Amino acid sequence: MTDSNIVDMSLTAGPEIVAIPGPSIIPERVLGAMHRAMPDIYAGDLTEVIDEVFDALPAIAGTTSRAFVPIGNGHAGWEMAIANTLSRGDRVLVLDCGRFAGLWGEMAEFNGLRVDTITAEWGSSVNPAAVEAHLRADTAHDIAAVLTVHVDTATSVRNDIPAIRAAIDAAGHPALFMVDCIASMGCERFEMDAWGVDVTVAASQKGMMVPPGLALVWAGDRARQAHTTADLRTRYWDWTYRTEDGPYYLRFCGTPPVSHLFGMREALRMIAEEGLDARWQRHERLADAVRAAVTAWSTPGGLGFVARDAAHRSHSVTSITTGDIDAAEVMRICRESLGVTLGLGIGAADGASFRIGHMGHVSAATVLAVLGAIETALHRMDAPMGASGVGAATALLAGS
Ligand SMILES: *Cc1c(COP(=O)(O)O)cnc(C)c1O
């Protein structure tokens, strides 16, 4: 599709922008904090870092409950949540609106749980009424937990977590409510306690601005209660063994992830300096700019949104359908010629999609550069385009 008259000149010698939906851009301050020799792990510096990290984490999720910080990625967080609260043969209800809740459900099944799944239509959010109906039908209260995602990173759909909580309550069902916030933590408003979430799972490498390597798991009172009788418990994941009052060593079931903890402390300080509310507003504003661009570009045969309902579009990632336009070619030009790496589309028909991550350490400059690269690629390809997305995004950011 590339116009053969155009020399595909590389213009990438300056800083590159990786705009994939995780791992996201790591701030220099975080990288700098991680770049240090190993300290004593039983005394001094590191213990202060650990205290500061554990003290700061509850507020990030809007809870007074403590967090657990296992070494691992998001999948590790999923497994920690399941292994600490459920028993072999328990039923769980998975609410899938893309890719990730379904994968969590597969893990649950592998671990000996019986899984019911409600799958939203591709591009739509979970329907709370369907959740209520499913739970009402479970009159024996067999279902021990409801598992879903806040933001699905494949579709960039955001679920209405309070509405799902309300549906569980309306059914009078006692199931634990577990929410994967891996793509949204630190980017989108999330209030674990106010929203009645029992277990929240996140990870270091997306909105939290730290390299992959730490999972973050917040456990509410009801989950801690369920923990006492759960038989999927294993030593490595066990919340009791990782006691908050015991030696620092046990909190990680072994040697702490030293460098990551220094990085996480710095990231948490940056979040505190910005303020959580300001951070959520920044993400929303920048996401609005991305959405303004996609709306302007969109045209028959051209770009469009994967997430159908504007009210359910994530502020941390945007998944874009490309119609008749070759998504791989857009991505190739952006990466090889313009220095911008976009995220591969997941799950949409014919691979005709790509994703923009705008989570964590991103400014208006970052987002405008990404949008500018996409528009440049579309021009080079002579692709169908409604209007200038960059124009729409800059007008939005100008407040006009
Ligand atoms: C990235 C992501 C995951 C998977 O995290 P890993 O660190 O790759 O295990 C799970 N859920 C959501 C919503 C994600 O965005």
Side-chain angles (χ1 to χ4, degrees):
M1 272 196 155
T2 309
D3 185 330
S4 57
N5 292 324
I6 291 169
V7 179
D8 199 2
M9 178 193 280
S10 176
L11 303 167
T12 60
E16 285 183 48
I17 296 176
V18 177
I20 65 176
S24 63
I25 297 170
I26 310 298
E28 286 296 329
R29 273 178 65 178
V30 172
L31 290 172
M34 296 178 74
H35 186 85
R36 49 163 298 152
M38 292 300 106
D40 185 351
I41 61 170
Y42 299 113
D45 242 19
L46 180 66
T47 59
E48 286 163 26
V49 171
I50 292 172
D51 284 339
E52 194 175 327
V53 165
F54 277 79
D55 286 350
L57 281 174
I60 301 294
T63 182
T64 56
S65 297
R66 70 160 295 193
F68 295 87
V69 186
I71 294 174
N73 53 22
H75 283 68
W78 284 347
E79 187 144 305
M80 177 181 254
I82 291 170
N84 274 285
T85 54
L86 301 171
S87 296
R88 235 162 291 278
D90 276 352
R91 244 169 103 194
V92 298
L93 174 59
V94 171
L95 312 177
D96 195 14
C97 64
R99 174 58 63 86
F100 290 94
L103 290 171
W104 196 3
E106 282 178 22
M107 175 185 274
E109 190 161 15
F110 189 94
N111 284 340
L113 299 165
R114 291 178 294 147
V115 179
D116 299 357
T117 304
I118 296 177
T119 306
E121 219 178 308
W122 190 258
S124 296
S125 58
V126 169
N127 176 4
V131 178
E132 183 180 337
H134 195 98
L135 292 175
R136 274 188 192 283
D138 176 33
T139 48
H141 291 173
D142 234 6
I143 294 171
V146 175
L147 276 48
T148 195
V149 296
H150 187 207
V151 166
D152 188 283
T153 325
T155 54
S156 69
V157 165
R158 179 185 53 251
N159 282 316
D160 186 341
I161 298 300
I164 297 173
R165 172 78 252 175
I168 299 170
D169 292 344
H173 202 288
L176 293 173
F177 188 27
M178 306 196 196
V179 181
D180 165 345
C181 294
I182 296 170
S184 55
M185 189 58 68
C187 307
E188 305 227 20
R189 175 177 296 281
F190 180 80
E191 301 187 41
M192 178 173 173
D193 289 354
W195 294 0
V197 174
D198 297 302
V199 181
T200 302
V201 176
S204 52
Q205 78 271 19
K206 297 192 182 175
M208 298 302 292
M209 311 184 294
V210 176
L214 300 179
L216 306 169
V217 180
W218 292 262
D221 291 341
R222 292 183 66 232
R224 296 296 291 272
Q225 191 54 42
H227 169 75
T228 59
T229 54
D231 84 2
L232 282 178
R233 287 166 62 173
T234 60
R235 172 49 62 90
Y236 185 69
W237 298 120
D238 197 63
W239 285 341
T240 298
Y241 192 68
R242 291 169 179 257
T243 168
E244 54 259 60
D245 308 320
Y248 290 99
Y249 190 77
L250 291 188
R251 287 200 209 179
F252 304 94
C253 196
T255 304
V258 175
S259 309
H260 277 72
L261 288 166
F262 276 92
M264 183 59 78
R265 176 175 69 168
E266 195 64 24
L268 289 166
R269 285 180 175 179
M270 289 178 71
I271 292 172
E273 285 165 21
E274 182 177 7
L276 207 46
D277 267 300
R279 215 175 145 78
W280 294 335
Q281 283 169 28
R282 167 168 60 86
H283 280 87
E284 180 168 358
R285 190 89 175 131
L286 294 176
D288 280 342
V290 172
R291 292 186 282 253
V294 176
T295 302
W297 285 326
S298 74
T299 189
L303 304 188
F305 291 101
V306 173
R308 293 174 191 184
D309 177 0
H312 288 273
R313 289 182 187 142
S314 157
H315 300 328
S316 57
V317 54
T318 300
S319 304
I320 298 169
T321 55
T322 57
D324 301 332
I325 302 170
D326 182 356
E329 183 63 2
V330 175
M331 293 179 67
R332 190 192 66 77
I333 294 172
C334 284
R335 186 181 59 250
E336 292 178 13
S337 185
L338 304 169
V340 169
T341 301
L342 301 170
L344 204 60
I346 296 181
D350 309 326
S353 70
F354 64 85
R355 297 178 297 159
I356 305 173
H358 33 90
M359 48 177 67
H361 195 56
V362 287
S363 63
T366 324
V367 165
L368 289 172
V370 172
L371 298 176
I374 294 168
E375 191 160 311
T376 304
L378 294 174
H379 278 305
R380 280 206 194 170
M381 294 169 70
D382 209 11
M385 205 190 308
S388 169
V390 172
T394 50
L396 181 130
L397 292 174
S400 53

